[in-house]
Amino acid sequence: MFEKILVANRGEIAVRIIRTCRELGIRTVAVYSEADANSMHVQMADEAICIGPAPSSDSYLRVDRLISAAEVADVDAIHPGYGFLSEDAHFADVCESCNIRFIGPSSRAMNALLDKAASRALARKAGVPTPPGSDGVVENEAEALAAAKKIGYPVLIKAVAGGGGRGMRIAHNDISMMKGYHTARNEAEKAFGNSGVYIEKYFENPHHIEFQIIGDGRGNVVHLGERDCSIQRRHQKLIEESPSPLIENKFKDLRKKMGKAALRLAAEAQYNNAGTVEFIADDAGNFYFLEVNKRIQVEHPVTEEITGIDIVRLQIMIAMGEPLKLSQSDIEFRGHAIECRINAEDPADGFRPSPGRIEMYYAPGGLGVRVDSHAYAGYTIPPHYDSMIGKLITYGKDRREAIDRMARALNEYLITGIKTTIPFEQAILQDPDFRRGYYSTGFVEQLQRRGSQTG
Ligand code: ADP
Ligand code: ADP
Ligand code: MG
């Protein structure tokens, strides 16, 4: 058994990981930047080590400082959380070469799914449908135009290294394609240090459906069902739920088909530990592979709620070398779960980030309510990082009950001193189409357009 784990992250996910470690009797080491000295993960961990100034490039992304901290604290393993170095194969390798277990997929699996273009190619090899698109990275304007002509407009220019909804551009014709190609490359270089872009068919109003997978690296891989993450703003998830209304209401056989496709890809990549295979699906029941997130995902709690499985616990057991003691038929889905991401942003002002001091804080509770957050009264949200300050998850015996509970819990959630996305999510929860489960990735934009029309 691991005795001590270093958590190479901050915010709610650091708190989330520390909680499971505590239940397992594993001691924890938090790392923090100078801007995070008052953060909850620092309070909650058994030990805490400052790893540098506020910018993440000087702290949470510094491999040398993380490894020094891990050596000083003498930990057995590092949990990278999500974002930061979680999908960095080099970091995983450095950990292993220092005899520190990396709690995530092997660098071999990460390299097999290195970027979106390599992952698409692997998916095709595994017989998993992908959106029509270019064969890998497009190297110049002429190639880009030729690819778009073959696919047919509209197309999406996507950064191979993109993430967090950034690095995507729609092109409707040759002119916007030529312009978009260069801007997309420049933006990708700046944001991800990799200017590679590829082109794929742009689907109007698809559904984002993803499968949680977990493998032990000994040939056992299972999926823990799907999550519908179609409620997005600018390609960033806002509300997630499981099971997917599209599958439940319309295409019952999709769960089996998509789940099998996800597992075929996992086998092809020899995937181990937790990951997510993301797809888009259209209203005719076709589905296409998007990417694999090679880490714990923000929205993992909805899966935990309906399966009763602690995914972080499984990640730790697998990293210790334990075999997965689950087969696909052991996994049962019960009830319905929804998650709202609570961001420190002002929905009335274009979702402008709203860092600052939280004055009053009261988190909702009661039956079927879970809050994963590092926020507290008096906490000052630093401006340097992600604006997500927590996740509110509700569970119900069915979708209706989970939604009613979410509406109730959002109403109870008291956060003053800063702006949050709560009012916007309350409006979504009241929307008749959302309540019926009739929504796609175009939903938020449609809602905003209706809102501005009616004043
Ligand atoms: P999830 O589906 O888990 O929400 P996201 O894509 O929203 O995945 O990413 C989760 C976190 O990781 C966010 O903080 C996001 O900003 C960050 N992130 C993901 N991919 C990248 C990337 N390639 N570069 C920088 N940050 C990323
Ligand atoms: P990221 O790494 O930023 O998460 P993804 O490839 O997972 O990038 O795409 C994020 C979101 O962008 C999807 O959930 C979907 O809403 C939208 N999207 C991505 N590819 C397409 C596509 N080909 N057609 C339509 N929408 C897409
Ligand atoms: Mg994605």
Side-chain angles (χ1 to χ4, degrees), residues 116 208 237 278 290-291 293 297:
K116 287 184 210 262
H208 175 114
K237 300 161 188 167
E278 296 191 329
L290 284 184
E291 64 163 342
N293 289 144
Q297 197 111 347

Side-chain angles (χ1 to χ4, degrees), residues 87 116 120 131-132 154-156 158-168 170 192 198-210 229-230 232 234-237 278-280 288-293 295 297 440-442:
E87 300 187 69
K116 287 184 210 262
R120 263 172 68 87
V155 299
L156 204 50
K158 294 176 84 169
V160 290
R166 294 176 309 145
M168 265 178 271
I170 304 170
F192 314 110
Y198 69 104
I199 292 164
E200 73 185 25
K201 177 83 198 155
Y202 178 69
F203 290 86
E204 305 278 355
N205 303 328
H207 306 262
H208 175 114
I209 298 177
E210 59 184 33
C229 313
S230 305
Q232 307 180 346
R234 297 197 174 161
H235 307 304
Q236 272 193 50
K237 300 161 188 167
E278 296 191 329
F279 298 96
I280 44 176
Y288 307 92
F289 166 79
L290 284 184
E291 64 163 342
V292 179
N293 289 144
R295 52 170 160 86
Q297 197 111 347
S440 73
T441 56

